[in-house]
Amino acid sequence: GAVVSQHPSRVICKSGTSVKIECRSLDFQATTMFWYRQFPKQSLMLMATSNEGSKATYEQGVEKDKFLINHASLTLSTLTVTSAHPEDSSFYICSAKLDRIYGYTFGSGTRLTVV
Amino acid sequence: AQTVTQSQPEMSVQEAETVTLSCTYDTSESNYYLFWYKQPPSRQMILVIRQEAYKQQNATENRFSVNFQKAAKSFSLKISDSQLGDTAMYFCAFMKQTGANNLFFGTGTRLTVIP
């Protein structure tokens, strides 16, 4: 089946540094990638939608300058958390759209801890 | 705007018994898709079952079935013969058929299967 590989699975970084999270579609081309954020014991909240070769669309309230999304190829989308702060600590999940019937496939998530 | 409501934050069921998780949604769309996703402790999102709104027949996948009531905007998940591996967070999700095609998630129900 369609697999999205997400790395790293866990990362700890110092406040003020930047962290890059990668999502690769292994056996299909992901035209559209969604990035979600999940706080402990809460639901997934959509942060942004990225389409290959174009600028990402951010949801209201999401700082586009803090959460940089790049989708330069059909198999790779990245989320960079810039100048990370402790409040950015969260679980980040990417999801690639397959088609309207089969829905989506998800990466395994990245737990970011900013200290 | 689309909203998805899961009114049961936590539920438990004895192994081999049957449990039903509830989900309601609100939308002005007439064509859409509904999903149930499972998120076990590994945090990997796994598709459990999906339903096309234009289909009257309830979807079934082995031990998992749904009760889709379009007029009531209700989409409950029934798990039969519960197994220990069913212990997870379960999220109900909605997707429009046209336009923006991201998933809207409910707040989730934490299901514990008791041996």
Side-chain angles (χ1 to χ4, degrees), chain A residues 100, chain B residues 2 29 31-33 94-102:
Chain A
R100 290 196 176 276
Chain B
Q2 280 62 232
E29 302 285 322
N31 295 312
Y32 48 87
Y33 300 95
F94 170 100
M95 185 186 81
K96 294 195 298 183
Q97 186 175 23
T98 58
N101 49 25
N102 58 286

Side-chain angles (χ1 to χ4, degrees), chain A residues 11-17 81 84-89 112-115:
Chain A
V11 59
I12 301 173
C13 71
K14 291 185 177 180
S15 187
T17 62
V81 183
H85 287 95
E87 57 265 31
D88 298 325
S89 298
L112 169 64
T113 302
V114 185
V115 298

Side-chain angles (χ1 to χ4, degrees), chain A residues 34 89 108:
Chain A
F34 302 94
S89 298
S108 53

Side-chain angles (χ1 to χ4, degrees), chain A residues 32 34 36 38-39 41-44 46 49 91 93 97 99-104 106-108 111, chain B residues 33 35 37 39 42-45 47 50 52 91 95-99 101-103 105-107 110:
Chain A
T32 302
F34 302 94
Y36 294 88
Q38 186 179 28
F39 289 104
K41 299 187 179 181
Q42 294 190 26
S43 188
L44 282 73
L46 180 67
T49 302
F91 192 71
I93 306 176
K97 175 178 167 298
D99 60 50
R100 290 196 176 276
I101 295 178
Y102 293 98
Y104 308 83
F106 289 80
S108 53
R111 181 178 299 285
Chain B
Y33 300 95
F35 305 85
Y37 280 92
Q39 188 180 42
S42 67
R43 307 295 292 272
Q44 176 72 57
M45 295 290 284
L47 177 65
R50 61 180 175 268
E52 293 91 336
F91 292 99
M95 185 186 81
K96 294 195 298 183
Q97 186 175 23
T98 58
N101 49 25
N102 58 286
L103 288 167
F105 287 94
T107 50
R110 182 173 299 280

